[in-house]
Amino acid sequence: MIADTVARGLRRWLAGADTRFAFTHCTSAPNTEARTQVRHLYIHVPFCRHGCPYCPYNKVALDQPLAARYFAALQQEITWYSEAKGAYPIDSLYFGGGSPSLFPEQIADLITQLTRQYDLRGARCLEIHPNDCD
């Protein structure tokens, strides 16, 4: 109990009053137009050859049939979203994972589809495991 009181007092002395970081109700709508002018798309490919002990990301062991179903579902979702929301601009595209570099044909198909259905511009990035490149 004494340690908690000392910790609270030290925190208050370092950070100021407790209300400094309190959430308050916003009475005016934030300016969302500036935030929606630039759009970035991240596509997660969760498949890996093996699990690295240092990797904290969502991943599963490489399973070709499961990966084929995953990419088919991803293509359907991309189509559904473009039909529902329209062909808005995408300013950058990033494939991460897992190891998306295990699937060069599927990644190329997704880039082609995104280019057809959206206004894809800017950078296209692919996370690559060092063992997958030469």
Side-chain angles (χ1 to χ4, degrees), residues 42-105:
Y42 172 80
I43 297 179
H44 188 77
V45 181
F47 303 99
C48 292
R49 281 198 180 104
H50 56 81
C52 298
Y54 55 82
C55 180
Y57 302 109
N58 180 23
K59 59 200 172 289
V60 296
L62 180 60
D63 178 345
Q64 291 295 347
L66 182 61
R69 292 197 329 256
Y70 176 81
F71 282 105
L74 185 56
Q75 287 181 320
Q76 288 176 347
E77 186 171 346
I78 289 169
T79 298
W80 172 83
Y81 207 83
S82 73
E83 290 171 355
K85 300 292 184 180
Y88 56 81
I90 297 174
D91 296 294
S92 70
L93 173 62
Y94 187 89
F95 292 94
S99 297
S101 57
L102 293 172
F103 305 96
E105 294 86 13

Coordinates of all heavy atoms in Angstrom, one line a residue, residues 42-105:
Y42 N -2.7 -2.8 -46.4 CA -1.8 -3.8 -45.9 C -2.6 -5.1 -46.1 O -3.7 -5.3 -45.7 CB -1.5 -3.6 -44.4 CG -0.8 -4.8 -43.8 CD1 0.6 -5.0 -44.0 CD2 -1.5 -5.8 -43.0 CE1 1.2 -6.0 -43.4 CE2 -0.8 -6.8 -42.5 CZ 0.5 -7.0 -42.7 OH 1.2 -8.0 -42.1
I43 N -1.9 -6.1 -46.7 CA -2.5 -7.4 -46.9 C -1.6 -8.4 -46.1 O -0.4 -8.5 -46.4 CB -2.6 -7.8 -48.4 CG1 -3.6 -6.9 -49.0 CG2 -3.1 -9.3 -48.5 CD1 -3.8 -7.1 -50.5
H44 N -2.2 -9.1 -45.2 CA -1.5 -10.1 -44.4 C -1.5 -11.5 -45.0 O -2.6 -12.0 -45.2 CB -2.0 -10.1 -42.9 CG -1.2 -10.9 -42.0 ND1 0.0 -10.4 -41.5 CD2 -1.4 -12.1 -41.5 CE1 0.5 -11.3 -40.6 NE2 -0.4 -12.4 -40.6
V45 N -0.4 -12.1 -45.2 CA -0.3 -13.4 -45.7 C 0.3 -14.3 -44.6 O 1.5 -14.2 -44.4 CB 0.5 -13.5 -47.0 CG1 0.6 -14.9 -47.5 CG2 0.0 -12.6 -48.1
P46 N -0.5 -15.0 -43.9 CA 0.0 -15.6 -42.6 C 0.8 -16.9 -42.7 O 1.1 -17.5 -41.7 CB -1.3 -15.9 -41.9 CG -2.3 -16.2 -43.0 CD -1.9 -15.3 -44.1
F47 N 1.2 -17.3 -43.9 CA 1.8 -18.6 -44.0 C 3.3 -18.5 -44.0 O 3.9 -17.6 -44.6 CB 1.4 -19.3 -45.3 CG -0.1 -19.4 -45.4 CD1 -0.8 -18.5 -46.2 CD2 -0.7 -20.5 -44.8 CE1 -2.2 -18.6 -46.2 CE2 -2.1 -20.6 -44.9 CZ -2.9 -19.7 -45.6
C48 N 4.0 -19.5 -43.2 CA 5.4 -19.5 -43.1 C 5.9 -21.0 -43.2 O 5.1 -21.9 -42.9 CB 5.8 -19.1 -41.7 SG 5.6 -17.3 -41.4
R49 N 7.1 -21.1 -43.7 CA 7.7 -22.5 -43.7 C 7.9 -23.0 -42.3 O 7.7 -24.2 -42.1 CB 9.1 -22.4 -44.4 CG 8.9 -22.4 -45.9 CD 10.3 -22.8 -46.6 NE 10.1 -22.7 -48.0 CZ 10.6 -21.7 -48.8 NH1 11.3 -20.7 -48.2 NH2 10.4 -21.7 -50.1
H50 N 8.3 -22.2 -41.4 CA 8.5 -22.6 -40.0 C 8.3 -21.4 -39.1 O 8.4 -20.2 -39.6 CB 9.8 -23.2 -39.8 CG 11.0 -22.4 -40.2 ND1 11.5 -21.4 -39.4 CD2 11.7 -22.3 -41.3 CE1 12.5 -20.7 -40.0 NE2 12.6 -21.3 -41.2
G51 N 8.0 -21.6 -37.9 CA 7.7 -20.5 -37.0 C 9.0 -20.0 -36.4 O 9.8 -20.8 -35.7
C52 N 9.4 -18.8 -36.6 CA 10.6 -18.2 -36.0 C 10.2 -17.8 -34.6 O 9.2 -17.2 -34.3 CB 11.0 -16.9 -36.8 SG 11.5 -17.3 -38.5
P53 N 11.1 -18.1 -33.6 CA 10.8 -17.8 -32.2 C 10.6 -16.3 -31.9 O 10.0 -15.9 -30.9 CB 11.9 -18.5 -31.4 CG 13.0 -18.6 -32.4 CD 12.4 -18.7 -33.8
Y54 N 11.2 -15.5 -32.7 CA 11.2 -14.0 -32.4 C 10.0 -13.3 -33.0 O 9.8 -12.2 -32.8 CB 12.5 -13.4 -32.9 CG 12.8 -13.6 -34.4 CD1 12.2 -12.9 -35.4 CD2 13.6 -14.7 -34.7 CE1 12.4 -13.1 -36.7 CE2 13.9 -14.9 -36.1 CZ 13.3 -14.2 -37.0 OH 13.5 -14.4 -38.4
C55 N 9.3 -14.0 -33.9 CA 8.2 -13.4 -34.7 C 6.9 -13.3 -33.8 O 6.4 -14.4 -33.5 CB 8.0 -14.1 -36.0 SG 6.6 -13.4 -37.0
P56 N 6.3 -12.1 -33.6 CA 5.1 -12.1 -32.8 C 3.8 -12.0 -33.6 O 2.7 -11.9 -33.1 CB 5.3 -10.7 -32.1 CG 6.0 -9.9 -33.1 CD 7.0 -10.8 -33.8
Y57 N 3.9 -12.2 -35.0 CA 2.8 -11.9 -35.8 C 1.9 -13.2 -36.0 O 2.4 -14.3 -35.8 CB 3.3 -11.4 -37.2 CG 4.0 -10.1 -37.0 CD1 5.4 -10.0 -37.2 CD2 3.4 -8.9 -36.6 CE1 6.1 -8.9 -37.0 CE2 4.1 -7.8 -36.4 CZ 5.4 -7.7 -36.6 OH 6.1 -6.6 -36.4
N58 N 0.7 -13.0 -36.4 CA -0.2 -14.1 -36.7 C 0.3 -14.9 -37.9 O 0.5 -14.4 -39.0 CB -1.6 -13.5 -37.0 CG -2.6 -14.6 -37.3 OD1 -2.4 -15.7 -36.8 ND2 -3.6 -14.2 -38.0
K59 N 0.6 -16.2 -37.6 CA 1.1 -17.0 -38.7 C 0.7 -18.5 -38.5 O 0.3 -18.9 -37.4 CB 2.6 -16.9 -38.7 CG 3.3 -17.3 -37.4 CD 4.7 -16.8 -37.3 CE 5.3 -17.0 -36.0 NZ 4.7 -16.2 -34.9
V60 N 0.7 -19.2 -39.6 CA 0.4 -20.6 -39.5 C 1.4 -21.3 -40.4 O 2.0 -20.7 -41.3 CB -1.1 -20.9 -40.0 CG1 -2.1 -20.3 -39.1 CG2 -1.3 -20.5 -41.4
A61 N 1.5 -22.6 -40.2 CA 2.5 -23.4 -41.0 C 2.0 -23.5 -42.4 O 0.8 -23.4 -42.7 CB 2.6 -24.9 -40.4
L62 N 3.0 -23.5 -43.3 CA 2.7 -23.5 -44.8 C 1.9 -24.7 -45.1 O 2.2 -25.9 -44.8 CB 4.0 -23.5 -45.6 CG 3.9 -23.6 -47.1 CD1 3.1 -22.3 -47.6 CD2 5.3 -23.6 -47.7
D63 N 0.7 -24.5 -45.7 CA -0.2 -25.5 -46.1 C -0.8 -25.0 -47.5 O -1.6 -24.1 -47.5 CB -1.3 -25.6 -45.1 CG -2.4 -26.6 -45.4 OD1 -2.5 -27.1 -46.6 OD2 -3.2 -27.0 -44.5
Q64 N -0.3 -25.6 -48.6 CA -0.7 -25.2 -49.9 C -2.2 -25.2 -50.2 O -2.7 -24.2 -50.7 CB 0.0 -26.0 -51.0 CG 1.5 -25.7 -51.0 CD 1.9 -24.3 -51.5 OE1 1.1 -23.5 -52.0 NE2 3.1 -23.9 -51.3
P65 N -3.0 -26.2 -49.8 CA -4.4 -26.2 -50.1 C -5.1 -25.0 -49.3 O -6.0 -24.3 -49.8 CB -4.9 -27.5 -49.6 CG -3.7 -28.4 -49.7 CD -2.6 -27.6 -49.4
L66 N -4.7 -24.9 -48.0 CA -5.2 -23.8 -47.2 C -4.9 -22.4 -47.8 O -5.7 -21.5 -47.8 CB -4.8 -23.9 -45.7 CG -5.3 -22.9 -44.8 CD1 -6.8 -23.0 -44.7 CD2 -4.6 -23.1 -43.4
A67 N -3.6 -22.3 -48.2 CA -3.2 -21.0 -48.9 C -4.0 -20.7 -50.1 O -4.4 -19.6 -50.4 CB -1.7 -21.1 -49.2
A68 N -4.3 -21.7 -50.9 CA -5.1 -21.5 -52.1 C -6.5 -21.0 -51.8 O -7.0 -20.1 -52.4 CB -5.2 -22.8 -52.9
R69 N -7.1 -21.6 -50.7 CA -8.4 -21.1 -50.3 C -8.3 -19.7 -49.7 O -9.2 -18.9 -50.0 CB -9.0 -22.1 -49.3 CG -9.4 -23.4 -49.8 CD -10.3 -24.3 -49.0 NE -10.2 -24.1 -47.5 CZ -9.6 -25.0 -46.7 NH1 -9.0 -26.0 -47.1 NH2 -9.5 -24.7 -45.4
Y70 N -7.3 -19.4 -49.0 CA -7.1 -18.1 -48.5 C -7.0 -17.0 -49.6 O -7.7 -16.0 -49.5 CB -5.8 -18.1 -47.6 CG -5.4 -16.7 -47.1 CD1 -6.0 -16.2 -46.0 CD2 -4.5 -15.9 -47.7 CE1 -5.7 -14.9 -45.4 CE2 -4.1 -14.6 -47.2 CZ -4.8 -14.2 -46.1 OH -4.5 -12.9 -45.6
F71 N -6.2 -17.3 -50.6 CA -6.0 -16.3 -51.7 C -7.3 -16.2 -52.5 O -7.7 -15.1 -52.9 CB -4.9 -16.7 -52.6 CG -3.5 -16.3 -52.0 CD1 -2.7 -17.2 -51.5 CD2 -3.1 -15.0 -51.9 CE1 -1.5 -16.9 -50.9 CE2 -1.9 -14.6 -51.4 CZ -1.1 -15.5 -50.9
A72 N -8.1 -17.3 -52.7 CA -9.4 -17.2 -53.4 C -10.3 -16.3 -52.6 O -11.0 -15.5 -53.1 CB -9.9 -18.6 -53.6
A73 N -10.4 -16.5 -51.3 CA -11.3 -15.7 -50.4 C -10.8 -14.2 -50.4 O -11.7 -13.3 -50.4 CB -11.3 -16.3 -49.0
L74 N -9.5 -14.0 -50.4 CA -9.0 -12.6 -50.5 C -9.4 -11.9 -51.8 O -9.8 -10.8 -51.7 CB -7.5 -12.7 -50.3 CG -6.8 -11.3 -50.2 CD1 -7.3 -10.5 -49.0 CD2 -5.3 -11.6 -50.0
Q75 N -9.3 -12.6 -52.9 CA -9.7 -12.1 -54.2 C -11.2 -11.7 -54.1 O -11.7 -10.7 -54.6 CB -9.4 -13.0 -55.3 CG -7.9 -13.0 -55.6 CD -7.6 -13.9 -56.8 OE1 -8.1 -15.0 -56.9 NE2 -6.7 -13.4 -57.6
Q76 N -12.0 -12.6 -53.6 CA -13.5 -12.3 -53.5 C -13.7 -11.1 -52.6 O -14.6 -10.3 -52.9 CB -14.2 -13.6 -52.9 CG -14.3 -14.7 -53.8 CD -14.9 -15.9 -53.2 OE1 -15.1 -16.0 -52.0 NE2 -15.3 -16.9 -54.0
E77 N -13.0 -11.0 -51.5 CA -13.2 -9.8 -50.6 C -12.8 -8.5 -51.3 O -13.5 -7.5 -51.1 CB -12.4 -10.0 -49.3 CG -12.7 -8.9 -48.3 CD -12.1 -9.2 -47.0 OE1 -11.7 -10.3 -46.7 OE2 -12.0 -8.2 -46.2
I78 N -11.7 -8.6 -52.1 CA -11.3 -7.4 -52.8 C -12.4 -7.0 -53.8 O -12.7 -5.8 -53.9 CB -9.9 -7.6 -53.5 CG1 -8.8 -7.7 -52.5 CG2 -9.6 -6.5 -54.5 CD1 -7.5 -8.2 -53.0
T79 N -12.9 -7.9 -54.5 CA -14.0 -7.6 -55.4 C -15.2 -7.1 -54.7 O -15.8 -6.1 -55.1 CB -14.4 -8.9 -56.2 OG1 -13.2 -9.3 -57.0 CG2 -15.5 -8.6 -57.2
W80 N -15.6 -7.7 -53.6 CA -16.8 -7.3 -52.9 C -16.6 -5.9 -52.4 O -17.5 -5.0 -52.5 CB -17.0 -8.2 -51.7 CG -18.1 -7.7 -50.8 CD1 -19.4 -7.8 -50.9 CD2 -17.9 -6.9 -49.6 NE1 -20.1 -7.1 -49.9 CE2 -19.2 -6.6 -49.1 CE3 -16.8 -6.4 -49.0 CZ2 -19.3 -5.8 -47.9 CZ3 -16.9 -5.6 -47.8 CH2 -18.2 -5.3 -47.3
Y81 N -15.4 -5.6 -51.8 CA -15.2 -4.3 -51.3 C -15.2 -3.2 -52.4 O -15.7 -2.1 -52.2 CB -13.9 -4.2 -50.5 CG -13.8 -3.2 -49.4 CD1 -14.4 -3.5 -48.2 CD2 -13.3 -2.0 -49.7 CE1 -14.4 -2.5 -47.2 CE2 -13.3 -1.0 -48.7 CZ -13.8 -1.3 -47.4 OH -13.8 -0.3 -46.5
S82 N -14.6 -3.5 -53.5 CA -14.6 -2.5 -54.6 C -16.0 -2.2 -55.1 O -16.4 -1.1 -55.5 CB -13.7 -2.9 -55.7 OG -14.2 -3.9 -56.5
E83 N -16.9 -3.3 -55.2 CA -18.3 -3.1 -55.6 C -19.1 -2.3 -54.6 O -19.9 -1.5 -54.9 CB -18.9 -4.4 -55.9 CG -18.4 -5.1 -57.1 CD -18.9 -6.6 -57.2 OE1 -19.5 -7.1 -56.3 OE2 -18.5 -7.2 -58.3
A84 N -18.8 -2.5 -53.3 CA -19.5 -1.9 -52.2 C -19.1 -0.4 -52.0 O -19.9 0.5 -51.8 CB -19.4 -2.6 -50.9
K85 N -17.8 -0.1 -52.2 CA -17.2 1.2 -51.8 C -16.8 2.0 -53.0 O -16.5 3.2 -52.9 CB -16.1 1.1 -50.9 CG -16.4 0.4 -49.6 CD -17.3 1.3 -48.7 CE -17.6 0.7 -47.4 NZ -18.4 1.5 -46.6
G86 N -16.6 1.4 -54.2 CA -16.1 2.1 -55.4 C -14.6 2.0 -55.5 O -13.9 1.5 -54.6
A87 N -14.2 2.4 -56.7 CA -12.7 2.3 -57.0 C -12.0 3.6 -56.5 O -11.6 4.4 -57.3 CB -12.6 2.2 -58.5
Y88 N -11.7 3.6 -55.2 CA -11.0 4.8 -54.7 C -9.5 4.6 -54.8 O -9.0 3.5 -55.0 CB -11.4 5.0 -53.2 CG -11.2 3.8 -52.3 CD1 -10.0 3.5 -51.8 CD2 -12.3 3.0 -52.0 CE1 -9.8 2.5 -50.9 CE2 -12.2 1.9 -51.2 CZ -10.9 1.7 -50.6 OH -10.8 0.6 -49.8
P89 N -8.7 5.6 -54.6 CA -7.3 5.5 -54.8 C -6.6 4.7 -53.6 O -7.0 4.9 -52.5 CB -6.8 6.9 -54.9 CG -7.8 7.7 -54.2 CD -9.1 7.0 -54.5
I90 N -5.6 3.9 -53.9 CA -4.8 3.3 -52.9 C -3.4 3.8 -53.2 O -2.8 3.6 -54.2 CB -4.8 1.8 -53.0 CG1 -6.3 1.3 -52.7 CG2 -3.8 1.1 -52.0 CD1 -6.4 -0.2 -53.0
D91 N -2.8 4.5 -52.2 CA -1.5 5.2 -52.3 C -0.3 4.3 -52.1 O 0.8 4.7 -52.5 CB -1.5 6.5 -51.5 CG -2.6 7.5 -51.9 OD1 -2.4 8.0 -53.0 OD2 -3.5 7.7 -51.2
S92 N -0.5 3.3 -51.3 CA 0.6 2.3 -51.2 C 0.0 1.0 -50.8 O -1.1 0.9 -50.2 CB 1.6 2.8 -50.1 OG 1.0 2.7 -48.8
L93 N 0.8 -0.1 -51.2 CA 0.3 -1.4 -51.0 C 1.5 -2.2 -50.3 O 2.6 -2.1 -50.8 CB 0.0 -2.1 -52.3 CG -0.4 -3.5 -52.3 CD1 -1.6 -3.9 -51.5 CD2 -0.6 -4.0 -53.8
Y94 N 1.2 -2.9 -49.2 CA 2.2 -3.6 -48.5 C 1.7 -5.0 -48.2 O 0.6 -5.2 -47.6 CB 2.5 -2.9 -47.2 CG 3.7 -3.5 -46.4 CD1 5.0 -3.1 -46.7 CD2 3.5 -4.5 -45.5 CE1 6.1 -3.6 -46.0 CE2 4.6 -5.1 -44.8 CZ 5.9 -4.6 -45.1 OH 7.0 -5.2 -44.4
F95 N 2.5 -6.0 -48.6 CA 2.2 -7.4 -48.2 C 3.2 -7.8 -47.1 O 4.4 -7.7 -47.3 CB 2.5 -8.3 -49.5 CG 1.5 -8.1 -50.6 CD1 1.8 -7.3 -51.6 CD2 0.3 -8.8 -50.6 CE1 0.9 -7.1 -52.7 CE2 -0.6 -8.6 -51.6 CZ -0.3 -7.7 -52.7
G96 N 2.6 -8.3 -46.0 CA 3.4 -8.7 -44.9 C 2.9 -10.1 -44.4 O 2.0 -10.7 -45.0
G97 N 3.5 -10.6 -43.4 CA 3.1 -11.9 -42.9 C 3.8 -12.3 -41.6 O 4.2 -11.4 -40.9
G98 N 3.8 -13.5 -41.6 CA 4.1 -14.6 -42.5 C 5.2 -14.3 -43.5 O 6.0 -13.5 -43.3
S99 N 5.1 -15.1 -44.5 CA 6.1 -15.0 -45.6 C 5.4 -14.9 -46.9 O 5.3 -15.9 -47.7 CB 7.1 -16.2 -45.6 OG 7.8 -16.3 -44.4
P100 N 4.9 -13.7 -47.3 CA 4.2 -13.5 -48.6 C 5.1 -13.8 -49.8 O 4.6 -14.2 -50.8 CB 3.8 -12.1 -48.6 CG 4.6 -11.4 -47.6 CD 5.0 -12.4 -46.6
S101 N 6.4 -13.8 -49.6 CA 7.3 -14.1 -50.7 C 7.3 -15.5 -51.1 O 7.8 -15.9 -52.2 CB 8.7 -13.7 -50.4 OG 9.2 -14.3 -49.2
L102 N 6.6 -16.4 -50.4 CA 6.4 -17.8 -50.8 C 5.4 -17.9 -51.9 O 5.3 -19.0 -52.5 CB 5.9 -18.6 -49.6 CG 6.9 -18.8 -48.4 CD1 6.2 -19.5 -47.3 CD2 8.1 -19.6 -48.9
F103 N 4.7 -16.9 -52.2 CA 3.6 -16.9 -53.2 C 3.7 -15.9 -54.2 O 2.8 -15.0 -54.4 CB 2.2 -16.8 -52.4 CG 2.1 -17.8 -51.3 CD1 2.4 -17.4 -50.0 CD2 1.6 -19.0 -51.5 CE1 2.2 -18.3 -48.9 CE2 1.4 -19.9 -50.5 CZ 1.8 -19.6 -49.2
P104 N 4.7 -15.9 -55.1 CA 4.9 -14.8 -56.0 C 3.8 -14.7 -57.1 O 3.4 -13.6 -57.4 CB 6.2 -15.1 -56.7 CG 6.5 -16.5 -56.4 CD 5.8 -16.8 -55.1
E105 N 3.3 -15.9 -57.5 CA 2.2 -15.8 -58.5 C 0.9 -15.3 -57.9 O 0.2 -14.5 -58.6 CB 1.9 -17.3 -59.1 CG 3.1 -17.8 -59.9 CD 4.1 -18.5 -59.0 OE1 3.8 -18.8 -57.8 OE2 5.2 -18.8 -59.5

